[in-house]
Every structure is written in structure tokens, then in C-alpha cells.
């Protein structure tokens, strides 16, 4: 038998189950009934329905309602949109709105609207603005199905006929509306996540450099992993270009810290390096200018950056090396074990000493070689459970094993970074950048 619904009255279960707590008896008097979480979270207390209808005579009655687990669906009623704002707490899961409600929020205060000003779906639009995360069902008469269909197009999950309500239909409609709202929200979050991932990928491609090696016989490979969780770019930076005289210039650097400011500074230093290199600067003159850029762009005087630059002669057999507090590159040549290039004459990191100097060392590369530049994230990962670090010696030994196994280029870098992560027992906390330049006899001049 249908039960008339007074304001904020709870409906007992159909088989004599225990009635839900009455909202007016809540400790704070707000109408909360103990539901947990936001809209769409039922917790252990079942669903709550907010009925919005203006029925002074009390002729509208709802049947007893239970959810799929047999728990009573609690019902609150609001006579106007002002009461909706007061009763719309987090434990409400679904709103059943009578489309015959007087037009607009000002109707609660007795303001009349002319037919020309009225929009028959204004109450629905207002409820949707008040409760964007809640499921909404529209209630109309059986002779006004088109109005119900328009309500769904505006944003309601479904519509029901006022004069055809029964407990099973209404219970199912409420649960369907709540689950559909959840599904819509999950799909929207998934879509937003995918869009963010696409935007992040485009942003990262824009921030990471594109090597300019057209006309060079050298082969280039790189790997980059920021240390910050979900970061696009860390404080490590690198670049490779070929200048008009045929020389190939490569650099790699690391700004201290791991935040977005450090990442931005790294990008600025990389762009400055490329411009200065094309302008013909090398060695101490180049690094001194980069230090000025860092000093003007850094957020505070404690920020510094390490840097390694290599300029390879057009014949590919000789190179100039500058180290500014950075680990020395590794070189591998046929018939010789992989080893580090000389690092005794390096200078300090950029930004530490105002009048520092960075000597440019001449190194012999030979005919066929592989040159690997890296940041300290590759060598500072832990080995096992203790505090021991991989270090440069461990890295050199690891690369020797990879080369002996026949790995080259991208495969070599991927295998090296993967092993470093495995030795660390998971993701590395520091940024990792690794570059590899390969030259084979017969490919160069």
C-alpha cells in the first residue's frame, strides 16, 4: 500500500525490517543520516533519496523502497529549491525532482514569473547546478513524456511518471541512476586522464630536445626518466647539435633539485647552450656564459648545475672535453675495455664560484667508438637493501657486461637503466639522463 511521505520521514523495509534513522534526529540537526563519503558512496547505511516536490495537499505518496541488498532507501523531502540547498548533504545519493515545481529558485520566496519568462525545466537546471555530482530523476505525468525526455537531454539520468510509481520500479530507477552517474563520472575521469596524458606527452616532446645531427655519420640514442612522481621533466638536461664546420657538440647537465623550477632552469640552460654553440663558443668561454645565464635565472643563490660538454672534431677521431662538477663520460672501443675519459682537470659546477674556469681537455677517440654521457642518477642508485651505491666503477662494469652481450645503441641504454632500477629495488629518486653517440670506421671521414 503506498505510504504518504511527510517531510524527512524514513521508510521502513518491506518485510518489517528496522526503519532507518530519521534525519531530523541527527546530532547536528542538519538532516545528515550517517552516510559516509560523497555522493554515490553508499557505505553500510544504504541509499538516501531527496524528493523535491511542491505538494501542499500531500497527495503524492511513494511506495516502500529497498535497495538490491534489502536495505531501506531513506527519503527526505524538500518543498522548494531553497530547502534543496539545505538538505543536499553528502549522504544524499539521488534526487527525485517533480518537474511541476514552481519555476526558479525565487519561487520559494513567492515571486511570480510570467509565462514568457518561465522555462519549464528551470527547476531542473537549478538542481543540476546545485548537485553536479548527484544522480537526478525527473518526475512528470504520463501525458507529458516529451517533457521527461527533454529533462534527460538537459542532464537527468532518467524520468518517471508520477501516476505510475511502484516500489520495484522506483527502487530500480534510483539504483540505476546512481550507478549510471558513477559510470559517467568514471568515464569522464578516464577521458580527462587520457587527455592529460596526451597533453603531457606533447609537452614533454616540446621540452626535450630534438638532436640536430643532419649530415653527421654519428648515431645517437638517449634515455630520460624524471625522478619526481608523475613528473614530465626533471632537472637533468641534454642536447646534441652539428655545427656548419662538421663538428658535433654534445652536452649533458643536472640542476640541483627536482622541482618544476629546476626543470625550467634546465630547459633554459639547454636552449642557451644550443644558441651559444651555434654562435661558435666552446670550452671556458661557453661555460662562463652559461654560468651567467644560471646566475640570472635561478630562484636563489644556492642553486647550481653540473655540466659536461664534448665537441667532436669533423674527422670524428678527436674531441674537446669540459667538466663542470659532472661525472666524466664513458668510452668503449674495440679491443679495449670500456673506461672513463680523463676527469682530473675538471672545474666546479656552474653557479658555485663567480670567477671559475673550466679547462678544455683534448682526448683521442680513435676510429670506432661509443661515447656515453650520463647524469649522477645513473650511478647513485642503491645496490640491494644496504646503503651501498652503484658508483662509477659499478656502472663501468655493468656497461662492459652489456657490451660483451652484444648490446648496442638503444638496447644498451634501456638495459642499463633497467638494471640500475632493479638493483635499486624500484624507481630511482633522482632524475636519470643517458646519451650514447656511436661511430663506426667507414662511416666517418
Amino acid at each position: 500500500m503506498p505510504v504518504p511521505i511527510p517531510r524527512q520521514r524514513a521508510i521502513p523495509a518491506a518485510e518489517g525490517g528496522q526503519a532507518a534513522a530519521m534525519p531530523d534526529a541527527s546530532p547536528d540537526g542538519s538532516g545528515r543520516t550517517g552516510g559516509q563519503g560523497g555522493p554515490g558512496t553508499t557505505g553500510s547505511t544504504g541509499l538516501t533519496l531527496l524528493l523535491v516536490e511542491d505538494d501542499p495537499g500531500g497527495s503524492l505518496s511513494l511506495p516502500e523502497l529497498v535497495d538490491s541488498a534489502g536495505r531501506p532507501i531513506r527519503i527526505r523531502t524538500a518543498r522548494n529549491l531553497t530547502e534543496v540547498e539545505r538538505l543536499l548533504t553528502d549522504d544524499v545519493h539521488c534526487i527525485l525532482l517533480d518537474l511541476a515545481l514552481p519555476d526558479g529558485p525565487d519561487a520559494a520566496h513567492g515571486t511570480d514569473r510570467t509565462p514568457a519568462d518561465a522555462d519549464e525545466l528551470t527547476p531542473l537546471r537549478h538542481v543540476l547546478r546545485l548537485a553536479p555530482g548527484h544522480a537526478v530523476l525527473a518526475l512528470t505525468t504520463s501525458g507529458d513524456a516529451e517533457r521527461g525526455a527533454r529533462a534527460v537531454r538537459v542532464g537527468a539520468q532518467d524520468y518517471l511518471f508520477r501516476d505510475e510509481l511502484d516500489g520495484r520500479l522506483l527502487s530500480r530507477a534510483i539504483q540505476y541512476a546512481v550507478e549510471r552517474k558513477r559510470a559517467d563520472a568514471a568515464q569522464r575521469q578516464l577521458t580527462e586522464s587520457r587527455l592529460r596524458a596526451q597533453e603531457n606527452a606533447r609537452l614533454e616532446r616540446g621540452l626535450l630536445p630534438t638532436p640536430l645531427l643532419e649530415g653527421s655519420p654519428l648515431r645517437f640514442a638517449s634515455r630520460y626518466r624524471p625522478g619526481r612522481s608523475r613528473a614530465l621533466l626533471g632537472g637533468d638536461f641534454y642536447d646534441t647539435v652539428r655545427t656548419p664546420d662538421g663538428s658535433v657538440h654534445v652536452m649533458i647537465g643536472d640542476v640541483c633539485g627536482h622541482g618544476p623550477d629546476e626543470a625550467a632552469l634546465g630547459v633554459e640552460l639547454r636552449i642557451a647552450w644550443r644558441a651559444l654553440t651555434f654562435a661558435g663558443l666552446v670550452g671556458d668561454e661557453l661555460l662562463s656564459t652559461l654560468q651567467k645565464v644560471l646566475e640570472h635565472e635561478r630562484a636563489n643563490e644556492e642553486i647550481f648545475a653540473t655540466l659536461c660538454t664534448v665537441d667532436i672534431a669533423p674527422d670524428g677521431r678527436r674531441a674537446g672535453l669540459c667538466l663542470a662538477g659532472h661525472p666524466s663520460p664513458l668510452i668503449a672501443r674495440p679491443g679495449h675495455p670500456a673506461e672513463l675519459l680523463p676527469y682530473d682537470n675538471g672545474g666546479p659546477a656552474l653557479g658555485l664560484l663567480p670567477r671559475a674556469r673550466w679547462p678544455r681537455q683534448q682526448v683521442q677517440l680513435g676510429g670506432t667508438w661509443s661515447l656515453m654521457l650520463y647524469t649522477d642518477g645513473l650511478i647513485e642508485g642503491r645496490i640491494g637493501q644496504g646503503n651501498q651505491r652503484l658508483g662509477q666503477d659499478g656502472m663501468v662494469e655493468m656497461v662492459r657486461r652489456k657490451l660483451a652481450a652484444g648490446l648496442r645503441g638503444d638496447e644498451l641504454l634501456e638495459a642499463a637503466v633497467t638494471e640500475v632500477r632493479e638493483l635499486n629495488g624500484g624507481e630511482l629518486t633522482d632524475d636519470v639522463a643517458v646519451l650514447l653517440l656511436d661511430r663506426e670506421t667507414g662511416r666517418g671521414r
Side-chain angles (χ1 to χ4, degrees), residues 321-339:
L321 169 67
C322 284
L323 296 175
H326 200 88
S328 184
L330 176 147
I331 188 168
R333 291 170 283 208
H336 300 276
E339 60 182 352

PDB file of all heavy atoms in Angstrom, residues 321-339:
ATOM      1  N   LEU A 321      86.917  18.121 -24.218  1.00  0.00           N
ATOM      2  CA  LEU A 321      86.067  17.744 -23.085  1.00  0.00           C
ATOM      3  C   LEU A 321      86.157  18.803 -21.998  1.00  0.00           C
ATOM      4  O   LEU A 321      87.247  19.210 -21.601  1.00  0.00           O
ATOM      5  CB  LEU A 321      86.517  16.389 -22.531  1.00  0.00           C
ATOM      6  CG  LEU A 321      85.914  15.953 -21.191  1.00  0.00           C
ATOM      7  CD1 LEU A 321      84.408  15.691 -21.333  1.00  0.00           C
ATOM      8  CD2 LEU A 321      86.628  14.704 -20.655  1.00  0.00           C
ATOM      9  N   CYS A 322      84.985  19.267 -21.522  1.00  0.00           N
ATOM     10  CA  CYS A 322      84.906  20.172 -20.377  1.00  0.00           C
ATOM     11  C   CYS A 322      83.979  19.578 -19.334  1.00  0.00           C
ATOM     12  O   CYS A 322      82.857  19.141 -19.658  1.00  0.00           O
ATOM     13  CB  CYS A 322      84.380  21.548 -20.793  1.00  0.00           C
ATOM     14  SG  CYS A 322      85.581  22.570 -21.649  1.00  0.00           S
ATOM     15  N   LEU A 323      84.443  19.579 -18.075  1.00  0.00           N
ATOM     16  CA  LEU A 323      83.632  19.064 -16.972  1.00  0.00           C
ATOM     17  C   LEU A 323      83.428  20.163 -15.941  1.00  0.00           C
ATOM     18  O   LEU A 323      84.398  20.756 -15.464  1.00  0.00           O
ATOM     19  CB  LEU A 323      84.304  17.860 -16.320  1.00  0.00           C
ATOM     20  CG  LEU A 323      84.481  16.614 -17.200  1.00  0.00           C
ATOM     21  CD1 LEU A 323      85.278  15.550 -16.454  1.00  0.00           C
ATOM     22  CD2 LEU A 323      83.139  16.058 -17.644  1.00  0.00           C
ATOM     23  N   ALA A 324      82.192  20.433 -15.615  1.00  0.00           N
ATOM     24  CA  ALA A 324      81.865  21.403 -14.570  1.00  0.00           C
ATOM     25  C   ALA A 324      81.159  20.650 -13.441  1.00  0.00           C
ATOM     26  O   ALA A 324      79.931  20.643 -13.340  1.00  0.00           O
ATOM     27  CB  ALA A 324      80.964  22.510 -15.126  1.00  0.00           C
ATOM     28  N   GLY A 325      81.974  19.987 -12.611  1.00  0.00           N
ATOM     29  CA  GLY A 325      81.424  19.231 -11.493  1.00  0.00           C
ATOM     30  C   GLY A 325      80.604  18.028 -11.897  1.00  0.00           C
ATOM     31  O   GLY A 325      79.824  17.504 -11.091  1.00  0.00           O
ATOM     32  N   HIS A 326      80.769  17.553 -13.126  1.00  0.00           N
ATOM     33  CA  HIS A 326      79.935  16.479 -13.655  1.00  0.00           C
ATOM     34  C   HIS A 326      80.746  15.201 -13.842  1.00  0.00           C
ATOM     35  O   HIS A 326      81.959  15.266 -14.112  1.00  0.00           O
ATOM     36  CB  HIS A 326      79.334  16.908 -14.998  1.00  0.00           C
ATOM     37  CG  HIS A 326      78.133  16.119 -15.405  1.00  0.00           C
ATOM     38  ND1 HIS A 326      76.857  16.468 -15.032  1.00  0.00           N
ATOM     39  CD2 HIS A 326      78.015  14.994 -16.134  1.00  0.00           C
ATOM     40  CE1 HIS A 326      76.009  15.601 -15.539  1.00  0.00           C
ATOM     41  NE2 HIS A 326      76.692  14.687 -16.204  1.00  0.00           N
ATOM     42  N   PRO A 327      80.118  14.021 -13.716  1.00  0.00           N
ATOM     43  CA  PRO A 327      80.839  12.763 -13.958  1.00  0.00           C
ATOM     44  C   PRO A 327      81.386  12.695 -15.381  1.00  0.00           C
ATOM     45  O   PRO A 327      80.750  13.164 -16.330  1.00  0.00           O
ATOM     46  CB  PRO A 327      79.772  11.691 -13.726  1.00  0.00           C
ATOM     47  CG  PRO A 327      78.723  12.335 -12.886  1.00  0.00           C
ATOM     48  CD  PRO A 327      78.728  13.778 -13.276  1.00  0.00           C
ATOM     49  N   SER A 328      82.547  12.102 -15.533  1.00  0.00           N
ATOM     50  CA  SER A 328      83.199  12.004 -16.835  1.00  0.00           C
ATOM     51  C   SER A 328      82.517  10.965 -17.714  1.00  0.00           C
ATOM     52  O   SER A 328      82.036   9.932 -17.224  1.00  0.00           O
ATOM     53  CB  SER A 328      84.669  11.627 -16.639  1.00  0.00           C
ATOM     54  OG  SER A 328      85.345  11.604 -17.878  1.00  0.00           O
ATOM     55  N   PRO A 329      82.451  11.200 -19.026  1.00  0.00           N
ATOM     56  CA  PRO A 329      81.827  10.227 -19.935  1.00  0.00           C
ATOM     57  C   PRO A 329      82.576   8.900 -19.957  1.00  0.00           C
ATOM     58  O   PRO A 329      83.754   8.814 -19.586  1.00  0.00           O
ATOM     59  CB  PRO A 329      81.887  10.915 -21.300  1.00  0.00           C
ATOM     60  CG  PRO A 329      82.086  12.363 -21.003  1.00  0.00           C
ATOM     61  CD  PRO A 329      82.868  12.420 -19.733  1.00  0.00           C
ATOM     62  N   LEU A 330      81.882   7.897 -20.451  1.00  0.00           N
ATOM     63  CA  LEU A 330      82.464   6.567 -20.620  1.00  0.00           C
ATOM     64  C   LEU A 330      82.690   6.347 -22.106  1.00  0.00           C
ATOM     65  O   LEU A 330      81.834   6.684 -22.935  1.00  0.00           O
ATOM     66  CB  LEU A 330      81.526   5.508 -20.049  1.00  0.00           C
ATOM     67  CG  LEU A 330      81.911   4.035 -20.217  1.00  0.00           C
ATOM     68  CD1 LEU A 330      81.411   3.231 -19.007  1.00  0.00           C
ATOM     69  CD2 LEU A 330      81.327   3.439 -21.498  1.00  0.00           C
ATOM     70  N   ILE A 331      83.839   5.759 -22.464  1.00  0.00           N
ATOM     71  CA  ILE A 331      84.128   5.456 -23.860  1.00  0.00           C
ATOM     72  C   ILE A 331      84.416   3.969 -24.005  1.00  0.00           C
ATOM     73  O   ILE A 331      85.078   3.359 -23.151  1.00  0.00           O
ATOM     74  CB  ILE A 331      85.316   6.290 -24.397  1.00  0.00           C
ATOM     75  CG1 ILE A 331      85.458   6.081 -25.909  1.00  0.00           C
ATOM     76  CG2 ILE A 331      86.611   5.988 -23.647  1.00  0.00           C
ATOM     77  CD1 ILE A 331      86.388   7.063 -26.592  1.00  0.00           C
ATOM     78  N   ALA A 332      83.871   3.385 -25.060  1.00  0.00           N
ATOM     79  CA  ALA A 332      84.104   1.975 -25.368  1.00  0.00           C
ATOM     80  C   ALA A 332      84.660   1.881 -26.785  1.00  0.00           C
ATOM     81  O   ALA A 332      84.099   2.466 -27.712  1.00  0.00           O
ATOM     82  CB  ALA A 332      82.799   1.189 -25.250  1.00  0.00           C
ATOM     83  N   ARG A 333      85.776   1.154 -26.916  1.00  0.00           N
ATOM     84  CA  ARG A 333      86.424   0.992 -28.211  1.00  0.00           C
ATOM     85  C   ARG A 333      86.759  -0.473 -28.432  1.00  0.00           C
ATOM     86  O   ARG A 333      87.039  -1.197 -27.464  1.00  0.00           O
ATOM     87  CB  ARG A 333      87.701   1.835 -28.277  1.00  0.00           C
ATOM     88  CG  ARG A 333      87.463   3.325 -28.297  1.00  0.00           C
ATOM     89  CD  ARG A 333      88.724   4.133 -28.113  1.00  0.00           C
ATOM     90  NE  ARG A 333      89.152   4.150 -26.712  1.00  0.00           N
ATOM     91  CZ  ARG A 333      89.846   5.134 -26.161  1.00  0.00           C
ATOM     92  NH1 ARG A 333      90.191   6.181 -26.885  1.00  0.00           N
ATOM     93  NH2 ARG A 333      90.211   5.078 -24.900  1.00  0.00           N
ATOM     94  N   PRO A 334      86.730  -0.930 -29.681  1.00  0.00           N
ATOM     95  CA  PRO A 334      87.052  -2.342 -29.964  1.00  0.00           C
ATOM     96  C   PRO A 334      88.433  -2.718 -29.439  1.00  0.00           C
ATOM     97  O   PRO A 334      89.402  -1.964 -29.600  1.00  0.00           O
ATOM     98  CB  PRO A 334      87.000  -2.414 -31.496  1.00  0.00           C
ATOM     99  CG  PRO A 334      86.132  -1.269 -31.921  1.00  0.00           C
ATOM    100  CD  PRO A 334      86.396  -0.190 -30.912  1.00  0.00           C
ATOM    101  N   GLY A 335      88.516  -3.863 -28.792  1.00  0.00           N
ATOM    102  CA  GLY A 335      89.789  -4.342 -28.276  1.00  0.00           C
ATOM    103  C   GLY A 335      90.197  -3.735 -26.957  1.00  0.00           C
ATOM    104  O   GLY A 335      91.279  -4.050 -26.434  1.00  0.00           O
ATOM    105  N   HIS A 336      89.389  -2.843 -26.413  1.00  0.00           N
ATOM    106  CA  HIS A 336      89.710  -2.208 -25.131  1.00  0.00           C
ATOM    107  C   HIS A 336      88.476  -2.267 -24.221  1.00  0.00           C
ATOM    108  O   HIS A 336      87.352  -2.112 -24.698  1.00  0.00           O
ATOM    109  CB  HIS A 336      90.112  -0.743 -25.331  1.00  0.00           C
ATOM    110  CG  HIS A 336      91.307  -0.570 -26.214  1.00  0.00           C
ATOM    111  ND1 HIS A 336      92.599  -0.660 -25.754  1.00  0.00           N
ATOM    112  CD2 HIS A 336      91.398  -0.321 -27.551  1.00  0.00           C
ATOM    113  CE1 HIS A 336      93.439  -0.462 -26.758  1.00  0.00           C
ATOM    114  NE2 HIS A 336      92.728  -0.245 -27.866  1.00  0.00           N
ATOM    115  N   PRO A 337      88.663  -2.467 -22.931  1.00  0.00           N
ATOM    116  CA  PRO A 337      87.515  -2.427 -22.026  1.00  0.00           C
ATOM    117  C   PRO A 337      86.963  -1.004 -21.918  1.00  0.00           C
ATOM    118  O   PRO A 337      87.709  -0.021 -22.043  1.00  0.00           O
ATOM    119  CB  PRO A 337      88.085  -2.911 -20.694  1.00  0.00           C
ATOM    120  CG  PRO A 337      89.548  -2.581 -20.771  1.00  0.00           C
ATOM    121  CD  PRO A 337      89.934  -2.724 -22.218  1.00  0.00           C
ATOM    122  N   ALA A 338      85.672  -0.902 -21.728  1.00  0.00           N
ATOM    123  CA  ALA A 338      85.059   0.419 -21.534  1.00  0.00           C
ATOM    124  C   ALA A 338      85.700   1.097 -20.335  1.00  0.00           C
ATOM    125  O   ALA A 338      85.998   0.468 -19.312  1.00  0.00           O
ATOM    126  CB  ALA A 338      83.555   0.263 -21.320  1.00  0.00           C
ATOM    127  N   GLU A 339      85.913   2.410 -20.461  1.00  0.00           N
ATOM    128  CA  GLU A 339      86.574   3.153 -19.395  1.00  0.00           C
ATOM    129  C   GLU A 339      86.089   4.594 -19.392  1.00  0.00           C
ATOM    130  O   GLU A 339      85.443   5.055 -20.342  1.00  0.00           O
ATOM    131  CB  GLU A 339      88.096   3.117 -19.599  1.00  0.00           C
ATOM    132  CG  GLU A 339      88.544   3.735 -20.909  1.00  0.00           C
ATOM    133  CD  GLU A 339      90.032   3.653 -21.119  1.00  0.00           C
ATOM    134  OE1 GLU A 339      90.735   3.249 -20.180  1.00  0.00           O
ATOM    135  OE2 GLU A 339      90.493   4.006 -22.223  1.00  0.00           O
TER     136      GLU A 339
END
